[in-house]
Coordinates of all heavy atoms in Angstrom, one line a residue:
M1 N -6.6 27.7 10.8 CA -5.5 28.6 10.6 C -6.0 30.0 10.6 O -5.1 30.9 10.8 CB -4.9 28.2 9.3 CG -4.0 27.0 9.3 SD -2.8 27.0 8.0 CE -2.3 25.4 8.0
D2 N -7.3 30.2 10.3 CA -7.7 31.6 10.2 C -7.5 32.3 11.6 O -8.0 31.8 12.6 CB -9.2 31.7 9.8 CG -9.4 31.3 8.4 OD1 -8.4 31.4 7.6 OD2 -10.6 30.9 8.1
G3 N -6.9 33.4 11.6 CA -6.7 34.2 12.8 C -5.5 33.8 13.6 O -5.3 34.4 14.6
A4 N -4.8 32.7 13.3 CA -3.7 32.2 14.1 C -2.5 33.0 13.8 O -2.3 33.6 12.7 CB -3.5 30.7 13.8
E5 N -1.6 33.1 14.8 CA -0.3 33.8 14.6 C 0.5 33.0 13.7 O 0.5 31.8 13.6 CB 0.4 34.0 16.0 CG -0.4 34.9 16.9 CD -0.3 36.4 16.5 OE1 0.7 36.8 15.9 OE2 -1.3 37.1 16.8
A6 N 1.4 33.7 12.9 CA 2.3 33.1 11.9 C 3.1 32.0 12.6 O 3.3 30.9 12.0 CB 3.1 34.1 11.2
D7 N 3.7 32.3 13.7 CA 4.6 31.3 14.4 C 3.8 30.1 14.8 O 4.3 29.0 14.8 CB 5.2 32.0 15.7 CG 6.3 32.9 15.3 OD1 6.8 32.9 14.1 OD2 6.7 33.7 16.1
A8 N 2.5 30.2 15.2 CA 1.7 29.1 15.6 C 1.4 28.2 14.4 O 1.5 27.0 14.4 CB 0.4 29.5 16.2
I9 N 1.2 28.8 13.2 CA 0.9 28.0 12.0 C 2.2 27.3 11.6 O 2.2 26.1 11.3 CB 0.5 29.0 10.9 CG1 -0.9 29.5 11.2 CG2 0.4 28.2 9.5 CD1 -1.4 30.6 10.3
K10 N 3.4 28.0 11.7 CA 4.6 27.4 11.3 C 4.9 26.2 12.2 O 5.4 25.2 11.7 CB 5.8 28.4 11.3 CG 5.7 29.4 10.2 CD 7.0 30.2 10.1 CE 7.2 31.2 11.2 NZ 8.3 32.1 11.0
H11 N 4.6 26.4 13.5 CA 4.9 25.3 14.4 C 4.0 24.1 14.1 O 4.5 22.9 14.1 CB 4.7 25.7 15.8 CG 4.8 24.6 16.9 ND1 6.0 24.1 17.2 CD2 3.9 23.9 17.5 CE1 5.8 23.1 18.1 NE2 4.5 23.0 18.3
Q12 N 2.8 24.3 13.8 CA 1.8 23.2 13.5 C 2.3 22.5 12.2 O 2.3 21.3 12.2 CB 0.4 23.8 13.3 CG -0.6 22.7 13.3 CD -0.7 21.9 14.5 OE1 -0.6 22.4 15.6 NE2 -0.8 20.6 14.4
V13 N 2.7 23.2 11.2 CA 3.2 22.7 9.9 C 4.4 21.8 10.2 O 4.5 20.7 9.7 CB 3.4 23.7 8.9 CG1 4.2 23.2 7.7 CG2 2.1 24.4 8.4
S14 N 5.3 22.3 11.1 CA 6.5 21.5 11.4 C 6.2 20.2 12.1 O 7.0 19.3 12.1 CB 7.5 22.3 12.2 OG 7.0 22.5 13.5
Q15 N 5.0 20.1 12.7 CA 4.6 18.8 13.4 C 4.0 17.8 12.5 O 3.7 16.7 12.9 CB 3.6 19.2 14.5 CG 4.1 20.1 15.5 CD 5.4 19.6 16.2 OE1 5.4 18.5 16.7 NE2 6.4 20.4 16.2
C16 N 3.7 18.1 11.2 CA 3.0 17.2 10.3 C 3.9 16.0 10.1 O 5.0 16.0 9.6 CB 2.8 17.9 8.9 SG 2.1 16.9 7.7
P17 N 3.4 14.8 10.5 CA 4.2 13.6 10.4 C 4.5 13.1 9.1 O 5.5 12.4 8.8 CB 3.3 12.6 11.2 CG 2.0 13.1 11.2 CD 2.1 14.6 11.1
S18 N 3.6 13.4 8.1 CA 3.9 12.9 6.7 C 4.7 13.8 5.9 O 5.2 13.5 4.8 CB 2.5 12.7 6.0 OG 1.9 13.9 5.8
G19 N 4.9 15.1 6.4 CA 5.6 16.1 5.6 C 4.8 16.6 4.5 O 5.3 17.3 3.6
A20 N 3.5 16.3 4.5 CA 2.6 16.8 3.4 C 2.3 18.3 3.4 O 2.0 18.9 2.4 CB 1.3 16.0 3.4
L21 N 2.5 18.8 4.6 CA 2.2 20.3 4.8 C 3.5 21.1 4.7 O 4.6 20.6 5.1 CB 1.6 20.6 6.2 CG 0.3 20.0 6.4 CD1 -0.2 20.3 7.9 CD2 -0.8 20.4 5.5
S22 N 3.5 22.2 4.0 CA 4.6 23.1 3.9 C 4.1 24.5 3.9 O 2.9 24.8 3.8 CB 5.4 22.8 2.7 OG 4.7 23.1 1.5
Y23 N 5.0 25.5 4.1 CA 4.6 26.9 4.1 C 5.6 27.7 3.3 O 6.8 27.3 3.1 CB 4.4 27.4 5.5 CG 5.6 27.4 6.3 CD1 6.5 28.5 6.4 CD2 5.9 26.4 7.2 CE1 7.6 28.5 7.1 CE2 7.0 26.4 8.0 CZ 7.8 27.5 8.0 OH 8.9 27.5 8.8
T24 N 5.2 28.8 2.9 CA 6.0 29.8 2.2 C 6.0 31.1 3.0 O 4.9 31.5 3.4 CB 5.6 30.1 0.8 OG1 5.6 28.9 0.1 CG2 6.5 31.1 0.1
E25 N 7.1 31.7 3.2 CA 7.2 32.9 4.0 C 7.8 34.0 3.1 O 8.8 33.8 2.5 CB 8.1 32.7 5.2 CG 8.0 33.8 6.2 CD 8.8 33.4 7.5 OE1 9.5 32.4 7.5 OE2 8.6 34.1 8.5
S26 N 7.1 35.1 3.1 CA 7.6 36.3 2.3 C 7.9 37.4 3.3 O 7.2 37.6 4.3 CB 6.5 36.8 1.3 OG 6.3 35.8 0.4
R27 N 8.9 38.1 2.9 CA 9.3 39.3 3.7 C 10.0 40.3 2.8 O 10.5 39.9 1.8 CB 10.1 39.0 4.9 CG 11.5 38.4 4.6 CD 12.2 38.1 5.9 NE 13.6 37.7 5.6 CZ 14.0 36.5 5.1 NH1 13.1 35.6 4.9 NH2 15.2 36.2 4.9
K28 N 10.0 41.5 3.2 CA 10.8 42.6 2.5 C 12.1 42.7 3.1 O 12.3 42.7 4.3 CB 10.0 43.9 2.5 CG 8.7 43.9 1.9 CD 8.7 44.4 0.5 CE 7.2 44.5 0.0 NZ 7.2 44.5 -1.4
E29 N 13.1 42.9 2.2 CA 14.5 43.2 2.7 C 15.1 44.2 1.8 O 14.8 44.3 0.6 CB 15.4 41.9 2.6 CG 15.6 41.2 3.9 CD 16.5 40.0 3.8 OE1 17.4 40.0 2.8 OE2 16.4 39.2 4.6
K30 N 16.0 45.0 2.4 CA 16.7 46.0 1.6 C 17.9 45.4 1.0 O 18.7 44.7 1.7 CB 17.0 47.2 2.5 CG 15.8 48.0 2.9 CD 16.1 49.4 3.2 CE 14.8 50.1 3.5 NZ 14.9 51.5 3.6
T31 N 18.2 45.7 -0.3 CA 19.3 45.2 -0.9 C 20.5 46.2 -0.8 O 20.3 47.2 -0.1 CB 19.0 45.0 -2.5 OG1 18.7 46.2 -3.0 CG2 18.0 44.0 -2.7
A32 N 21.6 45.8 -1.3 CA 22.8 46.7 -1.1 C 22.6 48.1 -1.7 O 23.1 49.1 -1.2 CB 24.0 46.0 -1.8
D33 N 21.7 48.2 -2.8 CA 21.5 49.5 -3.3 C 20.3 50.2 -2.7 O 19.7 51.1 -3.2 CB 21.3 49.4 -4.9 CG 20.0 48.6 -5.2 OD1 19.4 48.0 -4.4 OD2 19.8 48.5 -6.5
N34 N 19.9 49.7 -1.5 CA 18.8 50.3 -0.6 C 17.4 50.2 -1.2 O 16.6 51.0 -0.8 CB 19.2 51.7 -0.3 CG 18.8 52.0 1.2 OD1 18.6 51.1 2.0 ND2 18.5 53.3 1.4
T35 N 17.2 49.3 -2.2 CA 15.8 49.1 -2.7 C 15.2 47.9 -1.9 O 15.9 47.0 -1.5 CB 15.8 48.8 -4.2 OG1 16.6 47.7 -4.4 CG2 16.3 50.0 -5.0
E36 N 13.9 47.9 -1.8 CA 13.2 46.8 -1.1 C 12.9 45.7 -2.1 O 12.5 46.0 -3.2 CB 11.9 47.3 -0.4 CG 12.2 47.9 0.9 CD 10.9 48.0 1.7 OE1 9.8 47.8 1.2 OE2 11.1 48.2 3.0
T37 N 13.1 44.5 -1.7 CA 12.7 43.4 -2.6 C 12.0 42.3 -1.8 O 12.3 42.1 -0.5 CB 14.0 42.8 -3.3 OG1 13.6 41.8 -4.2 CG2 14.9 42.2 -2.2
D38 N 11.1 41.5 -2.4 CA 10.5 40.4 -1.7 C 11.4 39.3 -1.6 O 12.1 38.9 -2.5 CB 9.3 39.9 -2.5 CG 8.0 40.8 -2.3 OD1 7.9 41.2 -1.1 OD2 7.3 41.0 -3.2
V39 N 11.5 38.7 -0.4 CA 12.3 37.5 -0.2 C 11.3 36.4 0.2 O 10.5 36.5 1.1 CB 13.3 37.7 1.0 CG1 14.0 36.4 1.3 CG2 14.2 38.8 0.7
T40 N 11.3 35.3 -0.6 CA 10.4 34.2 -0.4 C 11.2 32.9 -0.3 O 12.1 32.6 -1.2 CB 9.4 34.1 -1.6 OG1 8.7 35.3 -1.7 CG2 8.5 32.9 -1.4
T41 N 10.9 32.2 0.7 CA 11.6 30.9 1.0 C 10.6 29.9 1.3 O 9.6 30.2 2.0 CB 12.6 31.0 2.2 OG1 13.5 32.1 1.9 CG2 13.4 29.7 2.3
S42 N 10.7 28.7 0.7 CA 9.8 27.6 1.0 C 10.6 26.4 1.3 O 11.7 26.2 0.8 CB 8.7 27.4 -0.1 OG 9.4 27.0 -1.3
V43 N 10.0 25.5 2.0 CA 10.7 24.2 2.5 C 9.8 23.1 2.1 O 8.5 23.1 2.3 CB 10.9 24.3 4.0 CG1 11.6 23.0 4.4 CG2 11.8 25.4 4.4
E44 N 10.4 22.0 1.6 CA 9.6 20.8 1.2 C 10.3 19.6 1.6 O 11.5 19.5 1.3 CB 9.4 20.8 -0.3 CG 8.6 19.6 -0.8 CD 8.4 19.6 -2.3 OE1 9.1 20.5 -3.0 OE2 7.7 18.9 -2.9
V45 N 9.7 18.7 2.3 CA 10.2 17.4 2.7 C 10.0 16.4 1.5 O 8.9 16.2 1.2 CB 9.7 16.9 4.0 CG1 10.2 15.5 4.3 CG2 9.8 17.9 5.1
M46 N 11.1 15.9 1.0 CA 11.0 14.9 -0.1 C 10.8 13.5 0.5 O 11.6 13.1 1.3 CB 12.2 15.0 -1.1 CG 12.5 16.3 -1.6 SD 11.1 17.0 -2.6 CE 11.1 15.9 -4.0
R47 N 9.8 12.8 0.0 CA 9.6 11.5 0.5 C 10.8 10.6 0.2 O 11.3 10.6 -0.9 CB 8.4 10.8 -0.2 CG 8.0 9.5 0.3 CD 6.7 9.1 -0.4 NE 6.3 7.7 0.0 CZ 5.5 7.5 1.0 NH1 5.0 8.4 1.7 NH2 5.3 6.2 1.4
N48 N 11.4 10.0 1.2 CA 12.5 9.1 1.1 C 13.8 9.9 0.6 O 14.6 9.3 0.0 CB 12.3 7.9 0.2 CG 11.1 7.1 0.6 OD1 10.8 7.0 1.9 ND2 10.3 6.6 -0.3
G49 N 13.8 11.2 0.9 CA 14.9 12.0 0.3 C 15.2 13.2 1.2 O 14.8 13.3 2.4
P50 N 15.8 14.2 0.6 CA 16.3 15.4 1.3 C 15.2 16.4 1.7 O 14.1 16.3 1.2 CB 17.3 16.0 0.3 CG 16.7 15.6 -1.0 CD 16.1 14.2 -0.9
L51 N 15.6 17.4 2.4 CA 14.8 18.5 2.7 C 15.2 19.6 1.7 O 16.3 20.0 1.7 CB 15.1 19.0 4.2 CG 14.3 20.2 4.7 CD1 12.8 19.7 5.0 CD2 14.9 20.7 5.9
M52 N 14.2 20.0 0.9 CA 14.5 21.0 -0.1 C 14.1 22.4 0.4 O 13.0 22.6 0.9 CB 13.7 20.7 -1.4 CG 13.9 19.3 -1.9 SD 15.6 18.9 -2.4 CE 15.7 20.0 -3.8
V53 N 15.0 23.3 0.2 CA 14.7 24.7 0.5 C 14.8 25.5 -0.8 O 15.8 25.5 -1.5 CB 15.7 25.3 1.6 CG1 15.5 26.7 1.9 CG2 15.7 24.4 2.8
Y54 N 13.7 26.2 -1.1 CA 13.6 27.0 -2.3 C 13.7 28.4 -2.0 O 12.9 28.9 -1.2 CB 12.3 26.7 -3.0 CG 12.1 25.3 -3.4 CD1 11.4 24.4 -2.5 CD2 12.6 24.7 -4.6 CE1 11.2 23.1 -2.8 CE2 12.5 23.4 -4.9 CZ 11.7 22.6 -4.0 OH 11.6 21.2 -4.3
G55 N 14.7 29.1 -2.5 CA 14.9 30.5 -2.2 C 16.4 30.8 -2.0 O 17.2 29.9 -2.0
N56 N 16.7 32.0 -1.8 CA 18.1 32.4 -1.5 C 18.3 32.4 0.0 O 17.6 33.2 0.7 CB 18.4 33.8 -2.2 CG 18.2 33.8 -3.7 OD1 18.3 32.8 -4.3 ND2 17.8 34.9 -4.2
I57 N 19.3 31.6 0.4 CA 19.5 31.5 1.8 C 21.0 31.6 2.2 O 21.8 31.5 1.3 CB 19.0 30.1 2.4 CG1 19.7 29.0 1.7 CG2 17.5 30.0 2.2 CD1 19.4 27.6 2.3
V58 N 21.3 31.8 3.4 CA 22.7 31.7 3.9 C 22.7 30.6 4.9 O 21.9 30.5 5.8 CB 23.0 33.1 4.6 CG1 24.4 33.0 5.3 CG2 23.0 34.2 3.6
V59 N 23.7 29.7 4.7 CA 23.9 28.6 5.6 C 25.1 28.8 6.4 O 26.2 29.1 5.9 CB 24.1 27.2 4.8 CG1 24.3 26.1 5.8 CG2 22.9 27.0 3.9
K60 N 25.0 28.9 7.8 CA 26.0 29.1 8.7 C 26.5 27.8 9.3 O 25.7 27.1 9.9 CB 25.6 30.1 9.7 CG 26.8 30.7 10.5 CD 26.3 31.7 11.6 CE 25.8 32.9 11.0 NZ 25.5 33.9 12.1
D61 N 27.8 27.5 9.2 CA 28.3 26.2 9.8 C 28.6 26.4 11.3 O 28.5 27.5 11.8 CB 29.5 25.7 9.0 CG 30.8 26.5 9.1 OD1 30.9 27.4 10.0 OD2 31.7 26.3 8.3
G62 N 29.1 25.4 11.9 CA 29.4 25.4 13.3 C 30.5 26.4 13.8 O 30.6 26.7 14.9
K63 N 31.3 26.8 12.8 CA 32.4 27.7 13.1 C 32.0 29.2 12.8 O 32.8 30.1 12.9 CB 33.6 27.4 12.3 CG 34.2 26.0 12.6 CD 35.3 25.6 11.7 CE 35.8 24.2 12.0 NZ 36.7 23.7 11.1
G64 N 30.7 29.3 12.3 CA 30.2 30.7 12.0 C 30.5 31.1 10.5 O 30.2 32.2 10.1
N65 N 31.1 30.2 9.7 CA 31.3 30.5 8.3 C 29.9 30.5 7.6 O 29.1 29.6 7.8 CB 32.2 29.5 7.7 CG 33.6 29.5 8.3 OD1 34.2 30.5 8.6 ND2 34.1 28.3 8.7
E66 N 29.8 31.4 6.7 CA 28.5 31.5 6.0 C 28.7 31.1 4.5 O 29.7 31.5 3.9 CB 28.0 33.0 6.0 CG 27.5 33.3 7.4 CD 26.9 34.7 7.5 OE1 27.0 35.5 6.5 OE2 26.3 35.0 8.6
L67 N 27.7 30.4 4.0 CA 27.7 30.0 2.6 C 26.4 30.4 2.0 O 25.4 30.0 2.5 CB 27.9 28.5 2.5 CG 27.9 27.9 1.1 CD1 29.0 28.4 0.3 CD2 27.9 26.3 1.2
K68 N 26.4 31.2 0.9 CA 25.2 31.6 0.3 C 24.7 30.6 -0.7 O 25.6 30.1 -1.5 CB 25.4 33.0 -0.5 CG 25.6 34.1 0.5 CD 25.8 35.4 -0.3 CE 26.0 36.5 0.8 NZ 26.3 37.8 0.1
K69 N 23.5 30.2 -0.7 CA 22.9 29.2 -1.6 C 21.7 29.9 -2.3 O 20.9 30.6 -1.7 CB 22.4 28.0 -0.8 CG 23.5 27.3 0.0 CD 24.5 26.7 -0.9 CE 24.0 25.4 -1.5 NZ 25.1 24.6 -2.3
N70 N 21.7 29.7 -3.6 CA 20.6 30.4 -4.4 C 19.7 29.4 -5.0 O 20.1 28.3 -5.4 CB 21.2 31.2 -5.5 CG 22.1 32.3 -4.9 OD1 21.7 33.0 -4.0 ND2 23.3 32.5 -5.5
K71 N 18.4 29.7 -5.0 CA 17.3 29.0 -5.7 C 16.9 27.7 -5.0 O 15.9 27.7 -4.5 CB 17.6 28.8 -7.2 CG 17.8 30.1 -7.9 CD 18.0 29.9 -9.4 CE 18.1 31.2 -10.1 NZ 18.4 31.1 -11.5
V72 N 17.7 26.7 -5.1 CA 17.3 25.4 -4.5 C 18.5 24.8 -3.7 O 19.6 24.7 -4.3 CB 16.9 24.4 -5.6 CG1 16.4 23.1 -4.9 CG2 15.8 25.0 -6.4
T73 N 18.2 24.4 -2.5 CA 19.3 23.7 -1.7 C 18.7 22.4 -1.1 O 17.6 22.5 -0.5 CB 19.7 24.6 -0.6 OG1 20.2 25.9 -1.1 CG2 20.9 24.0 0.2
A74 N 19.4 21.3 -1.2 CA 18.9 20.0 -0.7 C 19.7 19.7 0.6 O 20.9 19.6 0.5 CB 19.1 18.9 -1.7
F75 N 19.0 19.6 1.7 CA 19.7 19.2 3.0 C 19.4 17.8 3.3 O 18.3 17.3 3.1 CB 19.1 20.1 4.1 CG 19.6 21.5 4.1 CD1 18.8 22.5 3.4 CD2 20.8 21.9 4.6 CE1 19.2 23.8 3.4 CE2 21.2 23.2 4.6 CZ 20.4 24.2 3.9
C76 N 20.5 17.1 3.7 CA 20.4 15.6 4.0 C 19.5 15.4 5.2 O 19.6 16.1 6.3 CB 21.8 15.1 4.4 SG 21.8 13.4 4.8
R77 N 18.6 14.4 5.1 CA 17.7 14.0 6.2 C 18.1 12.6 6.6 O 17.7 12.1 7.7 CB 16.2 14.0 5.8 CG 15.6 15.3 5.6 CD 14.1 15.2 5.6 NE 13.5 14.2 4.7 CZ 12.6 13.3 5.1 NH1 12.2 13.2 6.3 NH2 12.2 12.5 4.2
C78 N 18.9 11.8 5.8 CA 19.1 10.4 6.1 C 20.4 10.3 7.0 O 20.5 9.2 7.6 CB 19.3 9.6 4.8 SG 20.9 9.9 4.0
G79 N 21.2 11.3 7.1 CA 22.4 11.2 7.9 C 23.6 10.5 7.2 O 24.7 10.4 7.8
A80 N 23.5 10.1 6.0 CA 24.6 9.4 5.4 C 25.4 10.2 4.3 O 26.4 9.7 3.7 CB 24.0 8.1 4.7
S81 N 25.0 11.4 4.1 CA 25.7 12.3 3.1 C 27.2 12.5 3.5 O 27.5 12.6 4.7 CB 25.0 13.6 3.0 OG 25.8 14.5 2.2
S82 N 28.0 12.5 2.5 CA 29.4 12.8 2.8 C 29.7 14.3 2.6 O 30.8 14.7 2.8 CB 30.3 12.1 1.7 OG 30.2 10.7 1.9
N83 N 28.6 15.0 2.4 CA 28.7 16.5 2.2 C 27.7 17.2 3.1 O 27.1 18.1 2.7 CB 28.5 16.8 0.7 CG 28.8 18.3 0.5 OD1 29.7 18.9 1.1 ND2 28.1 18.9 -0.5
K84 N 27.6 16.8 4.4 CA 26.7 17.4 5.3 C 26.9 18.8 5.5 O 28.1 19.2 5.5 CB 26.7 16.7 6.6 CG 26.2 15.3 6.6 CD 26.2 14.7 8.0 CE 25.9 13.2 7.9 NZ 27.1 12.4 7.7
P85 N 25.9 19.7 5.6 CA 24.5 19.3 5.8 C 23.8 19.1 4.5 O 22.6 18.9 4.5 CB 24.0 20.5 6.5 CG 24.7 21.7 5.9 CD 26.1 21.1 5.7
F86 N 24.5 19.0 3.4 CA 23.8 18.9 2.1 C 23.6 17.5 1.7 O 24.4 16.6 2.0 CB 24.6 19.7 1.0 CG 24.8 21.1 1.4 CD1 26.1 21.5 1.8 CD2 23.8 22.1 1.5 CE1 26.4 22.9 2.2 CE2 24.0 23.4 1.9 CZ 25.3 23.8 2.3
C87 N 22.6 17.2 0.9 CA 22.4 15.9 0.3 C 23.4 15.7 -0.8 O 23.6 16.5 -1.7 CB 20.9 15.9 -0.2 SG 20.5 14.4 -1.2
D88 N 23.9 14.4 -0.9 CA 24.8 14.1 -2.0 C 24.2 12.9 -2.8 O 24.9 12.3 -3.6 CB 26.2 13.8 -1.5 CG 26.3 12.6 -0.7 OD1 25.3 12.0 -0.3 OD2 27.5 12.2 -0.3
G89 N 23.0 12.5 -2.5 CA 22.3 11.4 -3.2 C 22.5 10.1 -2.5 O 21.9 9.0 -3.0
T90 N 23.3 10.0 -1.5 CA 23.5 8.7 -0.8 C 22.3 8.1 -0.3 O 22.2 6.9 -0.2 CB 24.6 8.9 0.4 OG1 25.8 9.5 -0.2 CG2 24.9 7.6 1.0
H91 N 21.2 8.9 0.0 CA 20.0 8.3 0.6 C 19.4 7.3 -0.4 O 18.8 6.3 0.0 CB 18.9 9.4 0.8 CG 18.6 10.2 -0.5 ND1 19.2 11.3 -0.9 CD2 17.6 9.9 -1.3 CE1 18.7 11.8 -2.0 NE2 17.7 10.9 -2.3
M92 N 19.7 7.4 -1.7 CA 19.2 6.4 -2.6 C 20.0 5.1 -2.5 O 19.4 4.0 -2.6 CB 19.3 6.9 -4.1 CG 18.3 8.0 -4.3 SD 18.2 8.6 -6.0 CE 19.7 9.5 -6.1
K93 N 21.3 5.2 -2.3 CA 22.2 4.0 -2.2 C 21.8 3.2 -0.9 O 21.9 1.9 -0.9 CB 23.6 4.4 -2.1 CG 24.1 5.0 -3.4 CD 25.6 5.4 -3.3 CE 26.0 6.2 -4.5 NZ 27.2 7.0 -4.2
I94 N 21.5 3.9 0.2 CA 21.2 3.2 1.4 C 19.7 2.8 1.6 O 19.3 2.2 2.6 CB 21.7 4.0 2.6 CG1 20.8 5.3 2.8 CG2 23.2 4.3 2.5 CD1 21.1 6.0 4.1
G95 N 18.9 3.2 0.7 CA 17.5 2.8 0.7 C 16.7 3.6 1.8 O 15.9 3.0 2.5
F96 N 17.1 4.8 2.1 CA 16.4 5.7 3.1 C 14.9 5.7 2.9 O 14.4 6.0 1.8 CB 17.0 7.1 3.1 CG 16.4 8.0 4.1 CD1 16.5 7.8 5.4 CD2 15.7 9.1 3.6 CE1 15.9 8.7 6.3 CE2 15.1 10.0 4.5 CZ 15.3 9.8 5.8
K97 N 14.2 5.4 4.0 CA 12.7 5.5 3.9 C 12.2 6.4 5.0 O 12.5 6.2 6.2 CB 12.1 4.1 4.1 CG 12.5 3.1 3.1 CD 11.9 3.3 1.8 CE 12.2 2.3 0.7 NZ 12.3 2.8 -0.6
D98 N 11.5 7.4 4.6 CA 10.9 8.3 5.6 C 10.1 9.4 4.9 O 10.5 10.0 4.0 CB 11.9 9.0 6.5 CG 11.2 9.8 7.6 OD1 10.0 9.5 8.0 OD2 11.8 10.8 8.0
Ligands
LIG1 S1 19.1 12.8 2.2 FE1 20.3 12.6 0.5 S2 22.2 12.0 1.2 FE2 21.0 12.1 3.0

């Protein structure tokens, strides 16, 4: 990883078959009052469960509507959630394994 471009590292982490690898990305953003703040987001694949995103994010649906999510967001990986793209816990009922 030493000397590699950030995008190359992110791509390699995304290829991890076990989901054991993850990364955190930090960047500066200007807030409404024009001050700079660190924005940090990390992603974790939960064994037999959802994809967890830690940080403040904006989720845009297929119609372009935006939903702000703060701190922790669980995205469905099993495909059975009744509240897609978010996890509603159904993965436990169906015995999702991955
Ligand atoms: S991962 Fe939880 S409902 Fe699909």
Side-chain angles (χ1 to χ4, degrees):
M1 288 202 191
D2 289 342
E5 295 288 328
D7 286 343
I9 294 171
K10 288 192 290 190
H11 176 73
Q12 191 63 43
V13 169
S14 72
Q15 301 300 309
C16 176
S18 70
L21 298 176
S22 63
Y23 63 87
T24 301
E25 189 171 15
S26 296
R27 66 182 186 281
K28 298 265 187 201
E29 258 187 23
K30 290 206 175 190
T31 60
D33 64 357
N34 215 25
T35 57
E36 278 198 345
T37 185
D38 279 322
V39 176
T40 302
T41 305
S42 63
V43 177
E44 180 180 11
V45 177
M46 302 302 290
R47 186 175 176 91
N48 305 324
L51 183 74
M52 304 299 292
V53 178
Y54 303 94
N56 299 329
I57 61 172
V58 175
V59 179
K60 192 181 292 187
D61 69 15
K63 297 175 183 169
N65 300 313
E66 294 184 348
L67 178 63
K68 291 182 181 175
K69 302 292 282 185
N70 298 316
K71 296 185 180 174
V72 181
T73 307
F75 288 93
C76 178
R77 287 197 312 129
C78 74
S81 173
S82 296
N83 189 30
K84 292 183 190 86
F86 307 107
C87 171
D88 67 357
T90 302
H91 61 272
M92 291 184 283
K93 294 179 191 160
I94 66 169
F96 176 64
K97 300 288 183 211
D98 185 27

